[in-house]
Amino acid sequence: MNMADPLKDSYEALMLGYAAGALDAAQDLIVSSHVALSEKGRARAARYEALGGALLSKSCDPVEMSAGALDNVLARLEDGQERASEANGMIFPDKIEIPDNLSQAIAEIIGTPQWENYIPGFKTFELPVPCRESKARFLKAVPGVKSPHHKHGGVEITLVLDGAFEDETGTYNRGDLIVMEDDYIEHTPVACEMRGCVCMIVTTAPLKLTGIASVLNPFIKQ
Amino acid sequence: MANKHKNIVDSDTPDFNALLGKVGQTKDRESFVTLFEHFAPRLKFFLMKGGITEELADELAQETMLTIWQKAGSYNPAQAAASTWIFTIARNKRIDAFRKNKHFHVDIDDTPGLVDEKADPTEGLDRTREEEDIAGALEALPEEQAYLIKKSFFEEKSHAVIAEEEGIPLGTVKSRIRLALERLRAEGRINDLWD
């Protein structure tokens, strides 16, 4: 039996959640961007979607459709299709190429972003995705900088868009997604020497803090 | 080819991949009706499991079938079995219906560069077979593992939400998911589900 690998477990569980449509708006955005950029992400999403397909065909009993349902649908087959909205021509700072879905989201939410100063060695801009539980931001690190130690509560999902960063778990390049949860140890990502690193980061506060637990089931023992 | 296919899949079951292909290529209504009669009631069950009313589930199932008609041209049997492709359409429909703000889900079908157009069409048989294997392996999972996977898909809950709701440690939920996926890979003969 394989040893538990917390980073891998978190990644796989997140991809399963993505395939199931279970992620919140910010998490869904970063994961679908990962899928657009990464062959591994696409393969994972496809495999977990196959689970969904198997459930649909084998674990779903037929529930009778309403009387006119088929006729309604047949009558609409000739309807024109809604045109997918054209991707906006938003240019990401430093002209980094990003997937269309992400470009569209940024354009719709904040227009054209600009880097702002953050902590030393880092620039940032926030992306206020309408979402109760999670926040999204973009981070640019100058080469060689170390980010300060911090312990994570909740979930932190990082997608590398440009350059690379490395920490004690490995080196991460464009398209790679790293998922760190409560049960992961402290880490210190180091921006790669070659080029500075640009990432998208989605952070989700621990669910206890957002009160989701109590909303769903007041009888859960804490 | 048709005979070979009948040996692999239950011969009473229509070849849904082929029917979906016909809808895509020739807008064949008869094929679409067969797909509707099989999938719409199951989509309705799936959607109702998520907790919405029967009326709304009925409506969303209809909307899903309509989208299937419109997008069938981009269905590629080498990429996914028909029920998987249909599932993803229903999933996106559900996300759109219930998230207050539009979601920015990447739609692989709308992104030509992401679809491997040179893929071997006979791989479609593999996808269907694989799905049969997965379904069988799912049924054989220990209860606490099958339960987590079904809860994720039917109720749209992430593993963190499930852990919180059920009062189970996060690590336990993830372990059970991992064990379930390892077993699905072993029994379902799915090679790259977990590497």
Side-chain angles (χ1 to χ4, degrees):
Chain A
M1 188 167 288
N2 295 328
M3 286 296 292
D5 174 345
L7 280 186
K8 184 175 152 82
D9 282 355
S10 294
Y11 174 81
E12 299 294 339
L14 187 75
M15 293 309 290
L16 185 129
Y18 170 79
L23 303 187
D24 66 41
Q27 295 173 338
D28 193 86
L29 181 59
I30 194 171
V31 177
S32 48
S33 303
H34 163 61
V35 168
L37 289 173
S38 157
E39 215 177 285
K40 173 184 176 184
R42 274 194 289 290
R44 281 296 185 281
R47 284 295 168 267
Y48 293 134
E49 283 163 1
L51 269 185
L55 284 171
L56 177 63
S57 53
K58 304 295 181 195
S59 302
C60 288
D61 301 322
V63 174
E64 207 178 325
M65 292 293 286
S66 60
L70 177 57
D71 290 334
N72 283 348
V73 174
L74 289 175
R76 294 173 63 190
L77 294 188
E78 299 311 313
D79 287 359
Q81 209 176 326
E82 257 179 53
R83 273 189 63 91
S85 42
E86 298 290 319
N88 299 28
M90 190 271 310
I91 298 181
F92 195 87
D94 308 319
K95 301 211 172 99
I96 292 167
E97 252 190 69
I98 59 174
D100 284 346
N101 68 309
L102 186 55
S103 175
Q104 201 167 342
I106 296 173
E108 281 195 31
I109 298 172
I110 57 174
T112 303
Q114 306 231 316
W115 292 118
E116 294 156 13
N117 287 327
Y118 194 40
I119 51 186
F122 290 87
K123 292 194 189 291
T124 192
F125 66 88
E126 279 188 43
L127 183 67
V129 181
C131 178
R132 191 173 64 152
E133 303 89 6
S134 302
K135 292 189 199 299
R137 73 165 60 247
F138 291 80
L139 209 59
K140 170 167 138 164
V142 303
V145 76
K146 280 187 213 261
S147 106
H149 264 289
H150 47 267
K151 195 160 176 96
H152 301 291
V155 190
E156 182 178 275
I157 306 169
T158 304
L159 172 68
V160 181
L161 293 171
D162 194 49
F165 84 73
E166 81 186 50
D167 62 14
E168 66 271 8
T169 64
T171 302
Y172 301 97
N173 299 293
R174 175 174 160 88
D176 289 341
L177 193 80
I178 310 97
V179 186
M180 303 210 188
E181 289 187 276
D182 284 353
D183 53 358
Y184 188 64
I185 57 171
E186 293 180 8
H187 78 298
T188 311
V190 178
C192 180
E193 293 294 335
M194 304 289 292
R195 263 154 93 189
C197 168
V198 176
C199 307
M200 177 178 181
I201 302 182
V202 168
T203 48
T204 308
L207 291 178
K208 282 190 179 67
L209 294 187
T210 59
I212 284 184
S214 55
V215 165
L216 291 171
N217 186 348
F219 303 110
I220 286 179
K221 263 194 335 215
Q222 292 299 325
Chain B
M1 181 76 85
N3 286 336
K4 182 178 171 192
H5 183 67
K6 274 195 196 299
N7 287 335
I8 293 172
V9 195
D10 177 354
S11 54
D12 287 341
T13 310
D15 180 352
F16 296 122
N17 294 7
L19 291 175
L20 195 47
K22 273 200 201 162
V23 172
Q25 282 143 37
T26 63
K27 292 288 188 199
D28 181 47
R29 287 200 175 207
E30 210 179 290
S31 299
F32 178 75
V33 170
T34 306
L35 288 167
F36 186 101
E37 285 171 350
H38 181 82
F39 284 106
R42 287 168 172 81
L43 287 168
K44 187 167 171 175
F45 177 98
F46 173 77
L47 293 162
M48 284 175 70
K49 274 281 226 176
I52 64 176
T53 64
E54 175 163 1
E55 203 184 313
L56 197 42
D58 195 275
E59 205 179 291
L60 278 182
Q62 291 184 40
E63 292 294 327
T64 300
M65 292 310 304
L66 189 57
T67 300
I68 286 163
W69 170 266
Q70 291 165 347
K71 293 195 166 180
S74 62
Y75 169 64
N76 182 348
Q79 301 266 315
S83 49
T84 297
W85 191 82
I86 287 170
F87 158 76
T88 59
I89 298 209
R91 175 204 62 197
N92 292 349
K93 202 65 70 177
R94 191 170 61 172
I95 294 175
D96 278 339
F98 296 109
R99 210 169 268 162
K100 281 206 204 93
N101 306 91
K102 177 185 154 184
H103 76 95
F104 301 94
H105 207 86
V106 68
D107 199 338
I108 301 285
D109 295 339
D110 288 344
T111 318
L114 295 178
V115 175
D116 181 5
E117 277 143 357
K118 298 193 200 72
D120 181 359
T122 61
E123 271 189 55
L125 303 176
D126 294 334
R127 294 282 170 258
T128 305
R129 178 74 191 278
E130 191 176 77
E131 198 188 78
E132 300 264 327
D133 288 348
I134 294 174
L138 265 172
E139 289 313 304
L141 283 178
E143 181 52 38
E144 77 269 6
Q145 291 172 21
Y147 171 74
L148 285 180
I149 297 206
K150 288 182 180 178
K151 208 169 169 76
S152 303
F153 280 89
F154 285 128
E155 296 181 38
E156 289 174 287
K157 291 184 171 142
S158 71
H159 61 289
V161 170
I162 294 175
E164 210 42 47
E165 249 187 37
E166 306 280 313
I168 307 173
L170 189 67
T172 305
V173 173
K174 285 191 288 180
S175 289
R176 286 183 190 165
I177 290 176
R178 173 170 44 83
L179 291 169
L181 295 171
E182 282 175 359
R183 206 182 272 230
L184 288 174
R185 180 181 60 156
E187 291 183 21
R189 284 162 286 178
I190 309 140
N191 293 326
D192 55 355
L193 191 59
W194 193 276
D195 60 12

